[in-house]
Amino acid sequence: MVNVLFLSIAAVLLLAAAYKARPLLRRPRPRGLGALCGFLTGLGASLVFLTPGVGDALSVITPKLGRLLGNCSTLAAATCISVLLLRFNEEPPAADRKARHRLVSLAVVLVVMAVLFLSSPVDDSPGAPTFGELPRTEPLLNIYVLVFTAHLGAAIVDLLRQALRYARHAPRPGLRHGLRVIAAGCALGMVYIGYKIVHVVGLWTDAAWLPPEQLCTSLVTPATCTFSVGLPAICSLLLVTGILLPAIGPALAWPWRRLLLWHLHRGLHPLWAALTAAVPEIQLTATDSRYAAPDPEFRLYRRVIEIRDGMLALRPHRSDEVRRAAEQRLRAGGADDRRLDARVEAAVLAAALESRRSGGAPAHPVSVEDASLTCPELTNLIDEARWLRRVSHAFAASGTGLAPAPRSRPAAGI
């Protein structure tokens, strides 16, 4: 089972690395792509080398050679993912400098590990101690395990620090959630590092409480394999998921996003209907269902623009007196501060629509500089649509006459 599981995951990782590596043949090369391919390749190679069947085959060359190659591939993968985050989170000169330091450190550690491993006699005959038990009798292998554990622990701490530091500032939800998943993987990795330290110290001191190492038949059996195999496997899965989440996250979230866009589009209808009835020329295209655009994001974007154009057309009729009176009345009634701005804006728009219908002008019109929406800072379509939906709900709740928009013929262009 372990052979099939490890080799299957390794095949997926190596195929993904080969697929992503194609742009590396062109210039300029995408930033961070080399580190991503190195991470996928290193992780896939480590799973191949650490597979029991592959390890037995490599032992024909040198006993336990698969363990050395697997550990080296693991350190290479950890370094590559750290370099990948550097490429995205640091300016190129600083990222290049820090990446070189990490690569030089990796090269030195790999050479030291190879020397320690090849300098220690390893018995691979039937009935011989497993690799996990060899440090009990081979001091050089104990140092080998300590070097591997220390460097892997340092790489995990570095990765955890970067993930937590930049997750707060990530501009996209997919990237932010991906960094948090990476941080969760690093947290499990630290548990694994703690297990390795306890295991090595127990071997070094010949502790009687240390359970003997047994052949793993699955990720969790025997119980010691939960830490030696299960934890690294789950940690690797979380790291791969965190790396790929910014790319696959939008596709996975599209059904939910489509539903959100549709809900926001419907929520804007009361305000949109009143504005298009008063100012028909704000309609960019025909809104009849036969001609409506199938893309929900485009439809929402168009509706927000039409509402904004309607508000702009009502600017000469906006009254500062109505704004002040509405705000005082709502505050006196204990209105929630989070919804106060939207309800004030709805009151101002209702008065402006009534003023336009009657052909009059407000007693205290707002100047051109001050004739803006009473709204917080809005930076994207979803936030703006959500705020306008609150205005629309407050507008509908006020009971202002909502005339349906007249049916229009399809217009050419947008």
Side-chain angles (χ1 to χ4, degrees), residues 77-156:
T79 301
C80 284
I81 192 174
S82 178
V83 171
L84 175 64
L85 291 189
L86 283 175
R87 296 294 187 194
F88 285 108
N89 297 324
E90 302 276 355
E91 294 298 325
D96 292 341
R97 184 181 67 256
K98 294 179 180 180
R100 282 194 298 269
H101 292 165
R102 284 163 173 77
L103 293 175
V104 170
S105 175
L106 172 66
V108 172
V109 169
L110 294 184
V111 170
V112 171
M113 287 173 56
V115 170
L116 291 172
F117 182 89
L118 297 175
S119 300
S120 299
V122 178
D123 184 6
D124 202 33
S125 60
T130 63
F131 185 86
E133 295 176 328
L134 284 174
R136 194 189 297 268
T137 57
E138 298 295 337
L140 291 181
L141 282 183
N142 214 333
I143 299 175
Y144 165 91
V145 175
L146 286 177
V147 170
F148 167 75
T149 304
H151 190 81
L152 181 60
I156 291 176

Side-chain angles (χ1 to χ4, degrees), residues 177-355:
H177 296 322
L179 289 171
R180 289 172 179 169
V181 172
I182 290 175
C186 291
L188 285 181
M190 294 305 300
V191 176
Y192 171 72
I193 294 299
Y195 161 77
K196 292 292 291 184
I197 293 174
V198 171
H199 184 77
V200 171
V201 171
L203 289 176
W204 210 337
T205 59
D206 199 20
W209 50 263
L210 191 67
E213 185 171 292
Q214 299 173 291
L215 180 65
C216 295
T217 57
S218 72
L219 297 181
V220 293
T221 55
T224 54
C225 293
T226 303
F227 294 95
S228 61
V229 178
L231 269 181
I234 297 175
C235 177
S236 300
L237 178 62
L238 289 175
L239 293 179
V240 172
T241 302
I243 288 293
L244 297 181
L245 194 58
I248 65 176
L252 296 177
W254 174 239
W256 177 85
R257 181 176 175 84
R258 188 181 182 90
L259 181 63
L260 172 65
L261 294 171
W262 175 82
H263 187 64
L264 289 173
H265 186 271
R266 284 184 59 86
L268 296 179
H269 183 268
L271 180 59
W272 173 84
L275 291 174
T276 53
V279 194
E281 60 270 20
I282 66 175
Q283 297 186 61
L284 299 176
T285 62
T287 53
D288 191 284
S289 60
R290 292 173 298 172
Y291 307 104
D295 182 6
E297 188 162 4
F298 176 81
R299 296 181 66 182
L300 178 63
Y301 188 71
R302 184 180 63 188
R303 178 154 290 188
V304 168
I305 290 177
E306 291 174 347
I307 290 176
R308 287 291 197 179
D309 288 346
M311 291 176 168
L312 184 64
L314 292 177
R315 188 168 61 179
H317 300 274
R318 294 173 67 91
S319 171
D320 188 47
E321 183 179 6
V322 171
R323 180 191 298 275
R324 291 198 302 269
E327 185 172 352
Q328 291 174 0
R329 183 179 69 255
L330 291 171
R331 289 190 182 279
D336 186 357
D337 288 342
R338 293 176 298 177
R339 300 182 180 274
L340 179 65
D341 289 344
R343 296 177 67 179
V344 169
E345 182 64 27
V348 173
L349 286 175
L353 282 169
E354 183 61 31
S355 175

Side-chain angles (χ1 to χ4, degrees), residues 2-7 10 42-58 64-75 113 117 131 144 148 152 192 196 215-216 219 228-229 232-233 236:
V2 174
N3 287 336
V4 174
L5 180 63
F6 276 28
L7 291 178
L43 190 56
S46 69
L47 290 175
V48 170
F49 293 135
L50 294 175
T51 301
V54 176
D56 293 340
L58 291 174
K64 310 296 184 184
L65 179 61
R67 181 61 65 100
L68 171 64
L69 296 177
N71 290 342
C72 291
S73 300
T74 300
L75 294 184
M113 287 173 56
F117 182 89
F131 185 86
Y144 165 91
F148 167 75
L152 181 60
Y192 171 72
K196 292 292 291 184
L215 180 65
C216 295
L219 297 181
S228 61
V229 178
S236 300

